[in-house]
Amino acid sequence: MLQGENAQPSSRSAASASSDPVSTIVLAAGEGTRMRSATPKVLHRIAGRPLVEHAVRAAAGVSPDDLVVVIGHGRDAVAEHLGDLGEALGREVRTAVQEQQLGTGHAVACGLSRLASRDSGTVLVSYGDVPLLDAETLRGLLAEHREAGNAVTVLSAVVADPTGYGRMLRDAAGAVTGIVEHKDTTAEQAEITEINSGVYAFDAAVLSDALTRLSTDNAQGELYLTDVLSIARADGRPVGALVCSDPWLVEGVNDRVQLANLGAELNRRLLRRWMREGVTITDPGSVWLDCDVVLDRDVVLEPGVQLRAGTTVGEGAVVGPDTTLTGCTVHPGASVVRTHGEGAEVGPGASVGPFAFLRPGTRLDAGGKIGTFVETKNARIGEGTKVPHLTYVGDATIGERSNIGAATVFVNYDGVAKHHTVIGSHARTGADNMFVAPVEVGDGAYTAAGSVITQDVPPGAMAVARGRQRNIEGWVAKRRPGTAADQAAKRALAEEEPTTNPTSDAQRRTSNGEGR
């Protein structure tokens, strides 16, 4: 920790300070014009979560007494998401509205007005567009701030390209003297590579007082939060900085290029974490994970896999290649290949794909199979049952150890309402069947190929529901004369014509039982 040369000793020990209230303010009111989007910047997503959710989860990780998010542009949509997030976190997430964008100092003043404790304890300030900042780093900043007895502690970082960031100003002894915004830097200051992350820990009373003394005398005509440091130092209060060793954690998002870069970096970190937990990822460059995906040991993720929010994969399961799962549960030992799934459950040792589509409500029990070009929706498929290929199963329950023939359709929709089909256990349904719901096929029953099943089939019965075949000979010659089909038929018939030898003809008739 570095203090200003005029720093005064704190009148409180770190131990007593640790019991003081902690509040967090997340600044998320900006319009984000460089995103060129109808969606508020802080609602753009990486790893399955909006930017502001990453920031709020990090802030909540320090267990603050108050958590306030300052909103402005797109406030209704942002507030709605924050309400849902508060329920998920089990805590209140308050909002403060910044009606006019008058600078970071003004934004913090808006947030401060919503705190229960404005003049005591510590206020942490962060941003809604800094998604990689984590709770551990914020706790470290808070600890540094308390132990040093600072009035202000800045989270800084040393970067190769500081363009766009405020620069940390230090005196010859290395003590922090202030921060200058990028647009206000001199040529010499522009060369400084230690940047202000925009994340601070403030003594609440110092912050409240300094905000009333900010000036708009700067290049942008705004109230800069950074000027609080200079005010505190001029008042003889200790100011310090904690250098973040990982600059990615304080990287902000201003456009879609930065959004993609931070999304890719977060994904790399998620992949590294899971590989160290015992997951095999054969091609990390083509696999994408959301933050809340859960993987067990010895899971294998093949190339081209995307696992999205709410997905869990059990021990030893293999997913991919070329598979996207959202909100799915894959149990141990299962295999899911070239499949798109949402809200589905794949049982232990079951197999899915390739080229399957699992829609919400699909449940495949242990050892079952959903094969090639099969679509399922709101379907329970029993243990060991197979739906191998070219089939749609919607609104259905299928028992255990049954087999559904190729090209089967569960006809579940009458144009107004959905209806349910039940296929029993150990049933065998023929190829090209249609089950017109509501209908039930009993245990051990069979259905013939090409059948349209509209009535219940009793257990152990064979259902045949198709028209009798009728051949109209000579139809092509009469209706399609001279066509390639007609010529082919004539050649085939000529080859089948019997010989004209009377003896042979008589022998043929005798051998066929004719003329007796």
Side-chain angles (χ1 to χ4, degrees), residues 25 27 70 98 100-113 125 127 181 198 200 202 207-216 218 221-229 231:
I25 297 175
L27 305 185
V70 180
Q98 186 184 21
Q100 295 178 285
Q101 315 298 292
L102 302 178
T104 51
H106 177 250
V108 170
C110 293
L112 202 65
S113 68
V125 175
Y127 284 82
E181 293 293 336
Y200 307 89
F202 292 103
L207 177 63
S208 295
D209 174 66
L211 289 175
T212 66
R213 299 156 62 185
L214 297 180
S215 168
T216 57
N218 51 62
E222 295 183 348
L223 299 173
Y224 288 162
L225 183 61
T226 51
D227 290 344
V228 172
L229 276 76
I231 292 171

Side-chain angles (χ1 to χ4, degrees), residues 300-334:
V300 177
L301 303 183
E302 298 286 7
V305 167
Q306 297 180 69
L307 300 183
R308 294 176 175 165
T311 297
T312 64
V313 183
E315 182 172 349
V318 179
V319 179
D322 305 325
T323 293
T324 299
L325 302 178
T326 303
C328 292
T329 299
V330 180
H331 287 279

Side-chain angles (χ1 to χ4, degrees), residues 160-325:
D161 181 9
T163 303
Y165 288 96
R167 308 305 201 275
M168 297 298 301
L169 303 180
R170 296 179 182 269
D171 61 20
V176 174
T177 60
I179 299 171
V180 59
E181 293 293 336
H182 175 77
K183 291 184 178 180
D184 296 313
T185 57
T186 64
E188 182 179 1
Q189 291 169 339
E191 298 299 317
I192 298 172
T193 57
E194 183 184 6
I195 57 97
N196 168 34
S197 70
V199 179
Y200 307 89
F202 292 103
D203 177 278
V206 171
L207 177 63
S208 295
D209 174 66
L211 289 175
T212 66
R213 299 156 62 185
L214 297 180
S215 168
T216 57
D217 185 18
N218 51 62
Q220 298 186 80
E222 295 183 348
L223 299 173
Y224 288 162
L225 183 61
T226 51
D227 290 344
V228 172
L229 276 76
S230 300
I231 292 171
R233 181 175 168 82
D235 289 346
R237 297 182 179 276
V239 173
L242 176 67
V243 179
C244 180
S245 60
D246 184 355
W248 277 107
L249 299 185
V250 297
E251 185 84 14
V253 173
N254 289 306
D255 57 31
R256 296 188 195 241
V257 174
Q258 291 174 323
L259 181 73
N261 288 341
L262 282 166
E265 177 59 25
L266 179 52
N267 190 64
R268 283 190 289 269
R269 292 173 184 237
L270 291 169
L271 295 177
R272 285 198 297 268
R273 170 197 162 194
W274 285 115
M275 286 189 281
R276 287 171 178 148
E277 291 290 332
V279 174
T280 293
I281 301 175
T282 57
D283 180 21
S286 67
V287 174
W288 289 81
L289 304 179
D290 280 356
C291 287
D292 64 349
V293 167
V294 177
L295 307 174
D296 211 336
R297 67 178 183 177
D298 291 325
V299 165
V300 177
L301 303 183
E302 298 286 7
V305 167
Q306 297 180 69
L307 300 183
R308 294 176 175 165
T311 297
T312 64
V313 183
E315 182 172 349
V318 179
V319 179
D322 305 325
T323 293
T324 299
L325 302 178

Side-chain angles (χ1 to χ4, degrees), residues 411 420-424 429 433-442 445-448 451-459 461-466:
V411 185
H420 202 77
T421 296
V422 177
I423 307 291
T429 71
N433 277 191
M434 290 195 179
F435 296 100
V436 182
V439 71
E440 182 170 349
V441 177
Y446 280 60
T447 60
S451 292
V452 178
I453 305 299
T454 59
Q455 300 178 21
D456 291 351
V457 181
M462 161 66 87
V464 182
R466 62 190 181 200

Side-chain angles (χ1 to χ4, degrees), residues 471-497:
N471 297 334
I472 304 174
E473 295 190 16
W475 186 91
V476 172
K478 293 177 182 178
R479 298 296 184 91
R480 302 289 187 269
T483 64
D486 181 32
Q487 295 171 14
K490 287 177 178 177
R491 287 193 299 269
L493 289 169
E495 292 172 359
E496 293 177 1
E497 286 183 358

